[in-house]
Amino acid sequence: MQTELSRKLGVEYAVFGFTPFPAVAAAISRAGGFGVLGAVRYTAPDDLKRDLDWIEAHVDGKPYGLDVVMPAKKVEGVTEADVEAMIPEGHRQFVKDTLAKFGVPELAEGEASGWRITGWMEQVARTQLDVAFDYPIRLLANALGSPPADVIDRAHEQDVLVAALAGSARHARKHADAGIDIVVAQGYEAGGHTGEIASMVLTPEVVDAVAPLPVLAAGGIGSGQQIAAAFALGAQGVWLGSLWLTTTEAELPSPRLIEKLLAAGSGDTVRSRALTGKPARQLRTEWTDAWDDPQGPGALPMPLQGLLVADAVSRIQKYEVEPLLGTPVGQIVGRMTSERSVQAVFDDLTRGFEQAVERVNRIAGRSEEQ
């Protein structure tokens, strides 16, 4: 599972693993892939520094990267308080009523929310980069498209490759024009923010649109056979996120959430604006149904929705209110049926890849047995 890109980065397998958990990122790199730590949850620079220190100590010298969420256009002078003030009172009341309907307890007095999407904000994302560029990261990925031009220049000055996610060939061409190095073609099946084009269609379109830039296929990939298919479509690697959620190294906040993921089928996810205000694939729950109900107020645009529901999500997770309990995850959740180590996942990926290549060779009349 090597390609020109994986050899350039010095990794054994062209498997790029996105995860919010440092232990998972380090384990992916140790197993021969390329671990990418999601930074959006780090609002305090010291917290990110602490976890990058940990990765450095546990990655065995293998390469790794960072994923940020920042808009291409710079926005000056907007604070979290400014954004909070834009949230309508009717939406706040809808959150209160929904939580009360399902008997979700309040947080203890003085207890702050442990989940707030503020990493999208210009000043927060830039403080993350100030920390990250002090470490030997090899890749900077941006989940909202191309990062600002000065960020791309700064990364290139430090010999850091820049990747950007795209949900269409048009978006991919914009990334190429902006000077990024790698396009992640993220299909409809993917967890989190995603577009409306399926991976089987999207990947070759993006490959053709940005050639000779390397493309990573993302969305609905969780087996070695699918990795082989991505290579056949022209990708130089795969970008996997959901698959790591049920690994033993992951740090999901709720045992019940793990149980729901293991029990879910591929049809148990939905693209909903309930979490962030932008369409994001996640487990379908009573919470997503409430926000998607035409009789309700509807989700606010990003970033208002993320700030509105932050405390609610923390309460749902802390008290494990099963009907409301969910997480971003892709349709590949149907294959996530047991808790396994990251290394065990890689063992399955490599076996499946070898089987797929052997099958194609037999079809093409190139079997070693002949």
Side-chain angles (χ1 to χ4, degrees), residues 12-273:
E12 186 175 359
Y13 306 121
V15 174
F16 294 72
F18 164 81
T19 174
F21 307 121
V24 176
I28 290 169
S29 290
R30 288 198 308 270
F34 191 99
V36 182
L37 178 67
V40 70
R41 67 190 180 99
Y42 293 98
T43 57
D46 287 346
D47 291 343
L48 179 57
K49 183 178 185 305
R50 176 201 63 217
D51 284 355
L52 289 176
D53 282 339
W54 191 94
I55 289 177
E56 271 292 297
H58 292 83
V59 81
D60 293 347
K62 302 292 180 64
Y64 61 94
L66 192 75
D67 178 278
V68 297
V69 179
M70 63 189 307
K73 295 182 179 179
K74 190 172 183 178
V75 179
E76 298 280 6
V78 179
T79 67
E80 184 176 335
D82 294 332
V83 177
E84 287 267 17
M86 301 177 191
I87 298 174
E89 185 56 39
H91 281 73
R92 296 186 188 277
Q93 188 60 49
F94 181 75
V95 171
K96 292 177 183 177
D97 293 345
T98 304
L99 295 179
K101 176 182 177 180
F102 289 92
V104 183
E106 297 276 356
L107 293 174
E109 186 175 350
E111 184 178 359
S113 165
W115 183 94
R116 292 185 79 77
I117 293 184
T118 55
W120 58 268
M121 297 180 69
E122 180 77 16
Q123 62 269 33
V124 176
R126 287 185 177 273
T127 59
Q128 294 168 351
L129 295 177
D130 288 340
V131 172
F133 283 133
D134 285 335
Y135 291 81
I137 63 171
R138 295 294 313 280
L139 176 72
L140 174 67
N142 189 34
L144 285 183
S146 303
D150 68 295
V151 172
I152 296 175
D153 291 341
R154 186 178 177 187
H156 288 165
E157 287 170 2
Q158 298 195 207
D159 199 27
V160 175
L161 297 180
V162 180
L165 275 65
S168 71
R170 178 174 59 86
H171 292 155
R173 282 190 288 268
K174 287 184 177 180
H175 299 338
D177 292 342
I180 62 94
D181 306 291
I182 302 167
V183 175
V184 181
Q186 180 164 284
Y188 170 84
E189 309 95 325
H193 296 135
T194 185
E196 299 181 353
I197 304 174
S199 300
M200 194 74 174
V201 174
L202 180 66
T203 301
E205 284 187 353
V206 172
V207 168
D208 290 343
V210 302
L213 283 184
V215 172
L216 303 179
I221 300 173
S223 72
Q225 291 88 342
Q226 291 169 309
I227 295 174
F231 285 7
L233 294 174
Q236 285 204 33
V238 293
W239 178 274
L240 310 183
S242 298
L243 193 63
W244 317 110
L245 288 174
T246 52
T247 57
T248 53
E249 292 89 346
E251 303 164 14
L252 284 178
S254 162
R256 287 188 183 179
L257 179 55
I258 297 173
E259 292 172 3
K260 289 188 74 171
L261 287 169
L262 296 177
S266 298
D268 293 328
T269 69
V270 63
R271 285 174 76 243
S272 171
R273 299 177 186 270

Side-chain angles (χ1 to χ4, degrees), residues 23-24 27-28 30-31 243-244 246-250 338-349:
V24 176
I28 290 169
R30 288 198 308 270
L243 193 63
W244 317 110
T246 52
T247 57
T248 53
E249 292 89 346
S338 64
E339 289 188 80
R340 299 177 295 164
S341 69
V342 168
Q343 183 60 62
V345 171
F346 265 90
D347 291 343
D348 277 354
L349 293 177

